[in-house]
Amino acid sequence: MGRIICAGLGPGDPDLISVRADRAIRGAGHVAYFRKKGRQGQARRIVDGMLAADVVEYPMEYPVTTEIPFDSPEYNRLLAAFYDDWAARLAALAASCDVVVLCEGDPFFYGSFMHLYTRLKDRVTMDVIPGITGMTGCWNATGAPITWGDDVLSVLMGTLPEEDLVAHMRGADALVVMKTGRNLPKVRRALARAGRLDAAWLVERGTMPGQRITRLAEVEDHDCPYFAIVLVHGQGRRPELAEAAE
Amino acid sequence: MGRIICAGLGPGDPDLISVRADRAIRGAGHVAYFRKKGRQGQARRIVDGMLAADVVEYPMEYPVTTEIPFDSPEYNRLLAAFYDDWAARLAALAASCDVVVLCEGDPFFYGSFMHLYTRLKDRVTMDVIPGITGMTGCWNATGAPITWGDDVLSVLMGTLPEEDLVAHMRGADALVVMKTGRNLPKVRRALARAGRLDAAWLVERGTMPGQRITRLAEVEDHDCPYFAIVLVHGQGRRPELAEAAE
């Protein structure tokens, strides 16, 4: 009997993969990863040059991404069938060998792998290897700590209604907004209404080639990059001598 | 001229250190790390067996931890002088060689290293290597995803006033509470008032030997472990077939 090993890949730089996940990836005979149809996929790109020459690859291509609304019954039906199908295929494969599933960031933090995990955990031996989250890579890329002292950090999805975004942006000290993309104009409006826009940064392709860090207020509304996270740094308690603060 | 390299150590298991940090630690000639006076220290313990035989070690011992209130002027004065002093010593050392500073979790997420970083970044070349946060290690240890779909995740410190804790616990879907320790009874009361206590888990020594995962409601009030994080998992949107949900 084999196992399904999910390797958290971290934020994008292959040098930020954990020692354990690095070992699993380089030693893999079978690797599976999610991607949009017709694309190489970000997970596969991260491990370029790390895979064994004779590895067998299983690209798991989403049947739909943003073509239909994510909260429609049709989207739900298509995605559920997709995860059911791949869960069955990976379980069959794991009957005879180990399979490594590649996952960007950390597998248990808003990841697609979780949908396979819940379907498989009671019938296959699973080993999930944590990864550095994308947001951690992004706040490190800004060169400034995200939280100090008692700061409250809230992680928000750009898909939330604008009113909800505003309320959470007002209530927390430090902010991370993911799933920005086409939601970026709404995220900007919400930050402005919460009085936080001037402190917001847009990090694109954090830790990866082509990384770009911009003040969100200076980004054009039609500029909606995909691998982008919005950050507002906390400004909490820190010990400073009176003379040092001058 | 040398550099100051901060190596994020991740949640505790040395196998979860990034490839880049692992290389920096094993190749280090000089390592510095924080610890409580008279203790080995968690950062130093994580790298046991990884350091070169002739490495020079610089334990940075906190002048005070919980003996006086963290919000008192005396605490602020002592800590600021401590960070100023070590910043000067590390800068002097980095004039002639590289120094690796060991930091649990991720260096830019509520870490002590940030206080050295802000003092040194304009006068010494710094290289900060991200790490898997302690909370990421802990939610992986529970074997359940922390966030799904549009879940809002809030990270709270147990040092916050009870009223603030209750408000944030009511407003978010997924919760992480750090700095629990002697604040654990207050954190429990706040979770109970927010109607979240039954869903809360206490993770002690996540990813480390002696790891313990308990329902928080079943923990005694006098049991206040130090390396412990409280988690409430989000239950957000996930695609399920109608028949699969039966």
Short mmCIF file of all heavy atoms in Angstrom, two decimals, chain B residues 7-15 17-18 21-28 30-34 40-53 55 57 100-104 208:
data_model
loop_
_atom_site.label_atom_id
_atom_site.label_comp_id
_atom_site.label_asym_id
_atom_site.label_seq_id
_atom_site.Cartn_x
_atom_site.Cartn_y
_atom_site.Cartn_z
N ALA B 7 17.37 33.42 10.04
CA ALA B 7 16.82 32.16 9.54
C ALA B 7 15.53 31.83 10.28
O ALA B 7 15.55 31.54 11.48
CB ALA B 7 17.83 31.03 9.72
N GLY B 8 14.40 31.91 9.58
CA GLY B 8 13.14 31.46 10.16
C GLY B 8 13.19 29.95 10.35
O GLY B 8 13.52 29.23 9.41
N LEU B 9 12.89 29.49 11.57
CA LEU B 9 13.06 28.07 11.90
C LEU B 9 11.79 27.26 11.71
O LEU B 9 11.82 26.03 11.80
CB LEU B 9 13.53 27.91 13.34
CG LEU B 9 14.88 28.56 13.68
CD1 LEU B 9 15.20 28.31 15.16
CD2 LEU B 9 15.99 28.00 12.80
N GLY B 10 10.66 27.95 11.50
CA GLY B 10 9.41 27.20 11.39
C GLY B 10 8.88 26.78 12.75
O GLY B 10 9.36 27.25 13.80
N PRO B 11 7.89 25.89 12.77
CA PRO B 11 7.12 25.61 13.99
C PRO B 11 7.83 24.75 15.03
O PRO B 11 7.35 24.66 16.16
CB PRO B 11 5.89 24.88 13.46
CG PRO B 11 6.31 24.27 12.15
CD PRO B 11 7.33 25.21 11.58
N GLY B 12 8.92 24.10 14.70
CA GLY B 12 9.61 23.32 15.73
C GLY B 12 10.31 22.08 15.20
O GLY B 12 11.40 21.73 15.63
N ASP B 13 9.69 21.39 14.24
CA ASP B 13 10.30 20.21 13.63
C ASP B 13 11.41 20.69 12.68
O ASP B 13 11.12 21.42 11.73
CB ASP B 13 9.22 19.45 12.86
CG ASP B 13 9.75 18.18 12.19
OD1 ASP B 13 10.98 18.07 12.00
OD2 ASP B 13 8.93 17.32 11.86
N PRO B 14 12.68 20.28 12.91
CA PRO B 14 13.77 20.77 12.06
C PRO B 14 13.59 20.39 10.59
O PRO B 14 14.14 21.05 9.70
CB PRO B 14 15.03 20.12 12.65
CG PRO B 14 14.59 19.14 13.66
CD PRO B 14 13.16 19.43 14.01
N ASP B 15 12.82 19.36 10.32
CA ASP B 15 12.55 18.94 8.94
C ASP B 15 11.62 19.92 8.22
O ASP B 15 11.42 19.82 7.02
CB ASP B 15 11.87 17.56 9.00
CG ASP B 15 12.48 16.58 8.00
OD1 ASP B 15 13.63 16.81 7.57
OD2 ASP B 15 11.80 15.60 7.69
N ILE B 17 12.14 23.25 8.37
CA ILE B 17 12.94 24.44 8.04
C ILE B 17 13.07 24.50 6.51
O ILE B 17 13.16 23.46 5.86
CB ILE B 17 14.32 24.35 8.72
CG1 ILE B 17 14.17 24.35 10.25
CG2 ILE B 17 15.26 25.47 8.25
CD1 ILE B 17 15.47 24.11 11.01
N SER B 18 13.10 25.68 5.93
CA SER B 18 13.25 25.79 4.48
C SER B 18 14.64 25.36 4.05
O SER B 18 15.59 25.39 4.83
CB SER B 18 12.99 27.22 4.01
OG SER B 18 14.10 28.05 4.34
N ALA B 21 17.12 28.21 4.63
CA ALA B 21 17.48 28.43 6.04
C ALA B 21 18.34 27.26 6.54
O ALA B 21 19.31 27.47 7.28
CB ALA B 21 16.23 28.59 6.89
N ASP B 22 18.00 26.05 6.14
CA ASP B 22 18.78 24.88 6.52
C ASP B 22 20.25 25.05 6.09
O ASP B 22 21.16 24.80 6.87
CB ASP B 22 18.16 23.64 5.86
CG ASP B 22 18.86 22.34 6.22
OD1 ASP B 22 18.55 21.79 7.29
OD2 ASP B 22 19.73 21.90 5.44
N ARG B 23 20.43 25.50 4.86
CA ARG B 23 21.79 25.71 4.35
C ARG B 23 22.52 26.79 5.15
O ARG B 23 23.69 26.64 5.50
CB ARG B 23 21.66 26.14 2.87
CG ARG B 23 22.90 26.00 2.04
CD ARG B 23 22.56 26.07 0.55
NE ARG B 23 21.78 27.23 0.19
CZ ARG B 23 20.67 27.19 -0.55
NH1 ARG B 23 20.22 26.05 -1.04
NH2 ARG B 23 20.01 28.29 -0.84
N ALA B 24 21.82 27.89 5.46
CA ALA B 24 22.43 28.98 6.22
C ALA B 24 22.84 28.52 7.62
O ALA B 24 23.92 28.85 8.11
CB ALA B 24 21.47 30.17 6.32
N ILE B 25 21.98 27.73 8.26
CA ILE B 25 22.25 27.27 9.63
C ILE B 25 23.44 26.31 9.64
O ILE B 25 24.35 26.44 10.46
CB ILE B 25 20.98 26.59 10.22
CG1 ILE B 25 19.86 27.61 10.38
CG2 ILE B 25 21.31 25.90 11.55
CD1 ILE B 25 18.48 27.00 10.50
N ARG B 26 23.45 25.35 8.73
CA ARG B 26 24.54 24.35 8.72
C ARG B 26 25.88 24.99 8.34
O ARG B 26 26.93 24.52 8.76
CB ARG B 26 24.20 23.21 7.75
CG ARG B 26 23.06 22.35 8.24
CD ARG B 26 22.72 21.22 7.27
NE ARG B 26 21.48 20.58 7.67
CZ ARG B 26 21.37 19.64 8.60
NH1 ARG B 26 22.43 19.21 9.23
NH2 ARG B 26 20.19 19.12 8.90
N GLY B 27 25.84 26.06 7.56
CA GLY B 27 27.09 26.70 7.12
C GLY B 27 27.54 27.84 8.03
O GLY B 27 28.55 28.47 7.75
N ALA B 28 26.78 28.11 9.10
CA ALA B 28 27.06 29.30 9.93
C ALA B 28 28.34 29.16 10.74
O ALA B 28 28.60 28.10 11.33
CB ALA B 28 25.88 29.56 10.86
N HIS B 30 28.86 31.84 12.98
CA HIS B 30 28.40 32.57 14.17
C HIS B 30 26.87 32.51 14.21
O HIS B 30 26.24 32.89 13.23
CB HIS B 30 28.84 34.03 14.09
CG HIS B 30 30.33 34.20 14.03
ND1 HIS B 30 31.09 34.50 15.13
CD2 HIS B 30 31.20 34.07 12.99
CE1 HIS B 30 32.38 34.55 14.78
NE2 HIS B 30 32.47 34.30 13.48
N VAL B 31 26.32 32.05 15.30
CA VAL B 31 24.85 32.06 15.42
C VAL B 31 24.42 32.76 16.71
O VAL B 31 25.03 32.58 17.76
CB VAL B 31 24.20 30.64 15.42
CG1 VAL B 31 24.44 29.92 14.09
CG2 VAL B 31 24.64 29.79 16.58
N ALA B 32 23.37 33.57 16.59
CA ALA B 32 22.79 34.26 17.75
C ALA B 32 21.34 33.82 17.87
O ALA B 32 20.70 33.48 16.88
CB ALA B 32 22.87 35.76 17.55
N TYR B 33 20.82 33.79 19.10
CA TYR B 33 19.42 33.40 19.32
C TYR B 33 18.95 33.94 20.65
O TYR B 33 19.73 34.13 21.58
CB TYR B 33 19.26 31.87 19.28
CG TYR B 33 20.32 31.13 20.06
CD1 TYR B 33 20.19 30.93 21.43
CD2 TYR B 33 21.47 30.66 19.44
CE1 TYR B 33 21.17 30.27 22.15
CE2 TYR B 33 22.47 30.01 20.14
CZ TYR B 33 22.31 29.82 21.51
OH TYR B 33 23.30 29.20 22.22
N PHE B 34 17.65 34.20 20.73
CA PHE B 34 17.05 34.67 21.97
C PHE B 34 16.77 33.49 22.89
O PHE B 34 16.48 32.39 22.42
CB PHE B 34 15.73 35.40 21.69
CG PHE B 34 15.93 36.69 20.96
CD1 PHE B 34 15.69 36.78 19.59
CD2 PHE B 34 16.36 37.82 21.64
CE1 PHE B 34 15.88 37.98 18.91
CE2 PHE B 34 16.55 39.03 20.95
CZ PHE B 34 16.31 39.10 19.59
N GLN B 40 17.91 26.60 27.74
CA GLN B 40 18.57 26.36 26.46
C GLN B 40 17.93 27.24 25.38
O GLN B 40 18.61 27.77 24.52
CB GLN B 40 18.46 24.88 26.06
CG GLN B 40 19.17 24.59 24.74
CD GLN B 40 18.98 23.18 24.23
OE1 GLN B 40 18.01 22.50 24.56
NE2 GLN B 40 19.91 22.72 23.42
N GLY B 41 16.63 27.37 25.46
CA GLY B 41 15.91 28.19 24.47
C GLY B 41 15.39 27.32 23.34
O GLY B 41 16.06 26.41 22.86
N GLN B 42 14.18 27.66 22.88
CA GLN B 42 13.49 26.87 21.86
C GLN B 42 14.20 26.95 20.50
O GLN B 42 14.34 25.94 19.81
CB GLN B 42 12.04 27.38 21.76
CG GLN B 42 11.19 26.73 20.73
CD GLN B 42 10.99 25.25 20.98
OE1 GLN B 42 11.43 24.70 22.00
NE2 GLN B 42 10.35 24.58 20.05
N ALA B 43 14.67 28.13 20.13
CA ALA B 43 15.33 28.28 18.83
C ALA B 43 16.58 27.40 18.78
O ALA B 43 16.80 26.65 17.82
CB ALA B 43 15.69 29.75 18.58
N ARG B 44 17.38 27.47 19.84
CA ARG B 44 18.61 26.68 19.89
C ARG B 44 18.32 25.18 19.89
O ARG B 44 19.05 24.39 19.28
CB ARG B 44 19.41 27.07 21.14
CG ARG B 44 20.72 26.32 21.34
CD ARG B 44 21.68 26.57 20.20
NE ARG B 44 22.90 25.78 20.33
CZ ARG B 44 22.98 24.48 20.05
NH1 ARG B 44 21.93 23.83 19.61
NH2 ARG B 44 24.13 23.86 20.19
N ARG B 45 17.22 24.81 20.55
CA ARG B 45 16.86 23.39 20.63
C ARG B 45 16.49 22.85 19.24
O ARG B 45 16.85 21.72 18.90
CB ARG B 45 15.68 23.21 21.60
CG ARG B 45 15.38 21.75 21.95
CD ARG B 45 14.25 21.63 22.96
NE ARG B 45 14.54 22.32 24.20
CZ ARG B 45 13.85 23.33 24.71
NH1 ARG B 45 12.77 23.79 24.09
NH2 ARG B 45 14.21 23.90 25.84
N ILE B 46 15.79 23.66 18.45
CA ILE B 46 15.36 23.21 17.12
C ILE B 46 16.56 22.83 16.25
O ILE B 46 16.51 21.86 15.50
CB ILE B 46 14.50 24.30 16.42
CG1 ILE B 46 13.16 24.48 17.17
CG2 ILE B 46 14.23 23.95 14.95
CD1 ILE B 46 12.31 25.65 16.68
N VAL B 47 17.67 23.57 16.38
CA VAL B 47 18.82 23.33 15.48
C VAL B 47 19.85 22.38 16.09
O VAL B 47 20.94 22.21 15.53
CB VAL B 47 19.52 24.66 15.07
CG1 VAL B 47 18.52 25.59 14.39
CG2 VAL B 47 20.17 25.34 16.28
N ASP B 48 19.51 21.75 17.19
CA ASP B 48 20.42 20.79 17.82
C ASP B 48 20.88 19.75 16.80
O ASP B 48 20.07 19.14 16.11
CB ASP B 48 19.69 20.07 18.97
CG ASP B 48 20.43 20.27 20.28
OD1 ASP B 48 21.35 21.11 20.34
OD2 ASP B 48 20.07 19.59 21.25
N GLY B 49 22.19 19.57 16.70
CA GLY B 49 22.72 18.58 15.77
C GLY B 49 22.95 19.13 14.37
O GLY B 49 23.46 18.42 13.50
N MET B 50 22.54 20.38 14.12
CA MET B 50 22.70 20.96 12.77
C MET B 50 23.90 21.90 12.68
O MET B 50 24.35 22.22 11.58
CB MET B 50 21.44 21.76 12.40
CG MET B 50 20.19 20.92 12.19
SD MET B 50 18.72 21.96 11.89
CE MET B 50 19.18 22.77 10.34
N LEU B 51 24.38 22.38 13.82
CA LEU B 51 25.43 23.42 13.80
C LEU B 51 26.82 22.81 13.58
O LEU B 51 27.10 21.68 13.98
CB LEU B 51 25.42 24.21 15.11
CG LEU B 51 24.12 24.96 15.42
CD1 LEU B 51 24.21 25.66 16.77
CD2 LEU B 51 23.81 25.98 14.32
N ALA B 52 27.70 23.59 12.93
CA ALA B 52 29.09 23.16 12.73
C ALA B 52 29.78 23.02 14.09
O ALA B 52 29.40 23.68 15.07
CB ALA B 52 29.82 24.20 11.88
N ALA B 53 30.78 22.14 14.14
CA ALA B 53 31.46 21.84 15.41
C ALA B 53 32.13 23.09 16.00
O ALA B 53 32.18 23.26 17.22
CB ALA B 53 32.48 20.72 15.22
N VAL B 55 31.24 26.30 15.56
CA VAL B 55 30.39 27.50 15.52
C VAL B 55 30.57 28.31 16.81
O VAL B 55 30.80 27.74 17.88
CB VAL B 55 28.90 27.08 15.33
CG1 VAL B 55 28.35 26.40 16.58
CG2 VAL B 55 28.04 28.28 14.94
N GLU B 57 28.60 30.69 19.41
CA GLU B 57 27.20 30.94 19.76
C GLU B 57 27.04 32.21 20.60
O GLU B 57 27.85 32.48 21.47
CB GLU B 57 26.63 29.74 20.53
CG GLU B 57 26.71 28.46 19.73
CD GLU B 57 25.89 27.33 20.35
OE1 GLU B 57 24.85 27.61 20.98
OE2 GLU B 57 26.29 26.16 20.20
N VAL B 100 24.34 34.41 11.68
CA VAL B 100 22.99 33.88 11.48
C VAL B 100 22.20 34.01 12.78
O VAL B 100 22.63 33.53 13.82
CB VAL B 100 23.04 32.40 11.02
CG1 VAL B 100 21.64 31.81 10.95
CG2 VAL B 100 23.73 32.29 9.66
N VAL B 101 21.07 34.71 12.70
CA VAL B 101 20.18 34.84 13.85
C VAL B 101 19.06 33.81 13.69
O VAL B 101 18.42 33.76 12.64
CB VAL B 101 19.59 36.26 13.97
CG1 VAL B 101 18.68 36.37 15.19
CG2 VAL B 101 20.71 37.30 14.06
N LEU B 102 18.86 32.99 14.69
CA LEU B 102 17.85 31.92 14.65
C LEU B 102 16.53 32.44 15.19
O LEU B 102 16.49 33.01 16.28
CB LEU B 102 18.30 30.73 15.50
CG LEU B 102 19.69 30.16 15.21
CD1 LEU B 102 20.03 29.09 16.26
CD2 LEU B 102 19.74 29.57 13.80
N CYS B 103 15.44 32.26 14.46
CA CYS B 103 14.14 32.76 14.90
C CYS B 103 13.07 31.71 14.72
O CYS B 103 12.83 31.25 13.59
CB CYS B 103 13.73 33.97 14.08
SG CYS B 103 14.78 35.36 14.40
N GLU B 104 12.36 31.37 15.79
CA GLU B 104 11.25 30.43 15.69
C GLU B 104 10.18 30.99 14.75
O GLU B 104 9.99 32.20 14.67
CB GLU B 104 10.63 30.23 17.07
CG GLU B 104 11.61 29.72 18.09
CD GLU B 104 11.22 30.12 19.49
OE1 GLU B 104 10.10 29.77 19.92
OE2 GLU B 104 12.02 30.82 20.15
N MET B 208 6.29 19.20 17.42
CA MET B 208 7.48 18.86 18.22
C MET B 208 7.24 17.60 19.04
O MET B 208 6.11 17.17 19.22
CB MET B 208 7.80 20.03 19.16
CG MET B 208 8.33 21.26 18.43
SD MET B 208 8.64 22.66 19.52
CE MET B 208 7.03 23.46 19.54
#
